[in-house]
C-alpha cells in the first residue's frame, strides 16, 4: 500500500512511503484443568467463541459408584467412558447413560458445554471440537449422582 506525504507548503515533490500491511497472529493458549468426578461441572473460566477450534487431551481414572448386576463392583472409568474392573476393560456403560448429564454418552465420560445452560457434548480423551456457541467452557464427569464418585481427569485444553 502506498501513502504519499507532502513535505510542507509549496513543495511540488512528495515522498512515497511504503507501508507493509499488518498481520495479526494469534497465539494458542493452553490450560490445564482438573475435572473431579464428585462434582457436576467445572467452570474452566476459559472463554470460547462460537466456531472456535479447541483441542482437548485428557488423562485419569475415576469411579461413578457401585454397579450391581453382572458387574457387581465399582468400575473405574477413563475420559472416553471405558470401564475397568479389576484391571479388565468391561466396555462402556452405555446402558447406564440415562443417569448421566449427556444421555447419548457413556457414564463416566468427559463431557463439556459452553455456558451454564449450554447443550452437553462429548469430549473424551482426545478430541478437536468446534465450539457450538460463545461463552465460558464447562467440563463435566458424565453422571447424575456425584456423592459416591471418586477420582478426576486432568485435561489440557488448547484454544486457537
Amino acid at each position: 500500500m502506498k501513502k504519499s506525504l507532502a513535505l510542507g507548503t509549496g513543495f511540488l515533490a512528495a515522498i512515497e512511503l511504503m507501508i507493509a500491511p499488518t498481520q495479526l497472529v494469534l497465539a494458542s493458549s493452553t490450560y490445564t484443568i482438573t475435572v473431579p468426578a464428585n462434582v457436576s461441572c467445572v467452570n474452566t473460566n476459559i472463554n470460547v467463541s462460537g466456531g472456535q477450534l479447541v483441542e482437548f487431551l485428557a488423562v485419569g481414572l475415576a469411579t461413578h459408584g457401585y454397579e450391581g448386576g453382572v458387574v457387581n463392583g465399582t468400575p473405574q472409568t477413563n475420559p472416553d467412558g471405558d470401564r475397568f474392573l479389576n484391571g479388565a476393560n468391561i466396555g462402556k456403560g452405555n446402558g447406564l447413560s440415562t443417569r448421566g448429564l449427556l444421555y447419548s454418552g457413556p457414564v463416566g465420560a468427559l463431557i463439556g458445554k459452553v455456558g451454564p445452560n449450554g447443550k452437553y457434548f462429548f469430549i473424551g480423551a482426545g478430541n478437536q471440537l468446534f465450539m457450538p456457541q460463545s461463552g465460558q467452557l464447562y467440563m463435566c464427569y458424565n453422571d447424575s449422582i456425584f456423592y459416591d464418585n471418586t477420582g478426576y481427569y486432568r485435561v489440557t485444553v488448547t484454544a486457537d
Side-chain angles (χ1 to χ4, degrees), residues 69-154:
V70 177
V71 174
N72 195 26
T74 305
Q76 292 181 307
T77 58
N78 67 14
D80 283 331
D82 296 313
R83 297 174 305 152
F84 300 88
L85 188 62
N86 301 321
N89 187 336
I90 60 172
K92 294 184 182 352
N94 290 327
L96 304 171
S97 62
T98 56
R99 64 179 266 195
L101 299 169
L102 176 66
Y103 295 158
S104 64
V107 68
L110 177 66
I111 62 174
K113 64 181 180 175
V114 178
N117 300 314
K119 187 175 179 181
Y120 293 103
F121 53 85
F122 178 82
I123 295 174
N127 215 340
Q128 290 184 338
L129 301 169
F130 290 101
M131 293 295 97
Q133 64 191 47
S134 296
Q136 289 194 322
L137 175 65
Y138 288 73
M139 289 190 290
C140 320
Y141 183 79
N142 194 28
D143 198 1
S144 60
I145 302 170
F146 299 97
Y147 74 89
D148 60 348
N149 297 352
T150 62
Y152 60 90
Y153 299 143
R154 176 116 16 205

Side-chain angles (χ1 to χ4, degrees), residues 32-36 39-44 46 56 110-113 123 137-141 155-157:
T32 300
I33 307 293
T34 299
V35 180
V39 298
S40 175
C41 291
V42 173
N43 182 348
T44 66
I46 300 171
F56 300 90
L110 177 66
I111 62 174
K113 64 181 180 175
I123 295 174
L137 175 65
Y138 288 73
M139 289 190 290
C140 320
Y141 183 79
V155 188
T156 302
V157 180

